[in-house]
């Protein structure tokens, strides 16, 4: 098993780089944001519960998020490893993930931090909104999502740094160049 966390603020390129990582390393991609959006569009009970939180750019409570994530991991017993995208976003989520993976005899092998300046992120999100029309990405809610990242999510990094698992990659530049650096970091630990 090789388990990777891809970490960075909204708009840092986590989704784009995750796709390239899955193609090359055949890991299973688990994005909690994608899972919540699927629940909302399928109008499940969970979808109804979280719809407003996503629309407002607020974090979904840890217990709901952790349960959903663990269910998805269990659905992939044959996986060679996972790439966790958008999870964990809080220290309790990181602790829960470690405890859960331990029951499977594995853990997190690498945390890739995509480092992108706030102004660059705002520009990227504005561009993405034009093409995808994602409801949570409008200008007002963007600030809320970025606040959530700098208030809560950023505290996950020291948790993994203490474990010596974080590699920081400059997330500004050509997609291919960033991916080359990511591949180098993965190959060191793979
Ligand atoms: P994302 O696509 O990863 O930016 O996630 C979109 C939204 O889903 C976030 O703004 C949160 O409302 C919710 N969300 C996704 N992942 C998590 C998580 N790990 N913890 C709490 N809320 C989450």
């Amino acid at each position: 098993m090789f388990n990777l966390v891809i970490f960075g603020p909204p708009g840092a390129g986590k989704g784009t780089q995750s796709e390239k990582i899955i193609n090359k390393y055949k890991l299973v991609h688990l994005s909690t944001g994608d899972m919540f959006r699927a629940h909302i569009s399928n109008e499940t009970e969970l979808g109804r519960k979280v719809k407003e939180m996503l629309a407002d750019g607020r974090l979904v409570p840890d217990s709901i998020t952790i349960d959903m994530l663990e269910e998805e991991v269990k659905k992939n017993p044959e996986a060679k490893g996972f790439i966790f995208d958008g999870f964990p976003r809080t220290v309790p989520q990181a602790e829960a993930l470690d405890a859960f993976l331990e029951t499977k005899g594995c853990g997190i092998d690498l945390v890739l931090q995509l480092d992108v300046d706030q102004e660059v992120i705002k520009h990227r999100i504005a561009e993405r909104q034009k093409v995808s029309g994602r409801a949570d990405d409008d200008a007002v809610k963007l600030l809320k999502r970025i606040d959530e990242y700098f208030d809560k999510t950023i505290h996950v990094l020291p948790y993994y740094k203490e474990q010596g698992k974080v590699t920081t990659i400059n997330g500004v530049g050509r997609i291919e160049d960033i991916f080359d650096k990511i591949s180098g970091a993965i190959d060191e630990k793979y």
Side-chain angles (χ1 to χ4, degrees):
M1 277 282 232
F2 184 82
N3 297 313
L4 178 79
V5 172
I6 190 157
F7 194 86
K14 298 189 294 292
T16 306
Q17 294 296 339
S18 293
E19 255 180 56
K20 298 179 81 64
I21 297 169
I22 337 163
N23 286 337
K24 181 165 177 186
Y25 296 95
K26 312 292 173 212
L27 303 178
V28 174
H29 181 215
L30 295 182
S31 154
T32 40
D34 285 351
M35 291 173 205
F36 285 130
R37 282 184 288 275
H39 275 283
I40 291 169
S41 59
N42 293 330
E43 299 184 347
T44 66
E45 199 187 324
L46 175 60
R48 278 189 286 277
K49 222 185 260 177
V50 302
K51 190 172 179 175
E52 271 188 33
M53 298 175 202
L54 264 84
D56 293 346
R58 274 179 291 140
L59 291 187
V60 174
D62 286 336
S63 59
I64 296 179
T65 310
I66 291 163
D67 287 352
M68 176 182 75
L69 190 273
E70 291 185 1
E71 284 311 308
E72 290 299 319
V73 170
K74 286 179 196 159
K75 283 183 196 162
N76 291 279
E78 306 297 327
K80 284 173 58 184
F82 294 93
I83 167 162
F84 298 101
D85 170 5
F87 183 93
R89 263 175 155 99
T90 64
V91 172
Q93 289 181 14
E95 288 168 346
L97 182 61
D98 273 350
F100 176 64
L101 292 177
E102 207 178 308
T103 66
K104 304 195 154 300
C106 59
I108 293 297
D109 298 286
L110 175 64
V111 177
L112 279 176
Q113 179 199 7
L114 285 181
D115 193 20
V116 182
D117 180 82
Q118 275 205 43
E119 291 308 313
V120 175
I121 300 164
K122 286 178 190 169
H123 178 74
R124 280 188 188 176
I125 293 196
E127 290 298 309
R128 188 169 71 187
Q129 194 196 350
K130 284 186 207 154
V131 283
S132 76
R134 260 169 58 172
D136 58 329
D137 278 347
D138 65 43
V140 182
K141 283 154 194 167
L142 162 66
L143 291 173
K144 180 71 191 159
R145 293 177 68 213
I146 292 182
D147 283 352
E148 288 285 70
Y149 177 81
F150 287 101
D151 277 355
K152 295 181 184 145
T153 308
I154 200 81
H155 302 299
V156 174
L157 269 184
Y159 175 86
Y160 286 121
K161 277 188 179 160
E162 266 171 35
Q163 300 180 12
K165 291 181 178 166
V166 178
T167 298
T168 302
I169 306 267
N170 181 353
V172 183
R174 286 182 56 239
I175 289 174
E176 286 306 328
D177 294 341
I178 297 167
F179 184 63
D180 283 348
K181 288 186 248 167
I182 288 179
S183 292
I186 296 176
D187 291 342
E188 261 179 40
K189 304 225 176 177
Y190 198 64

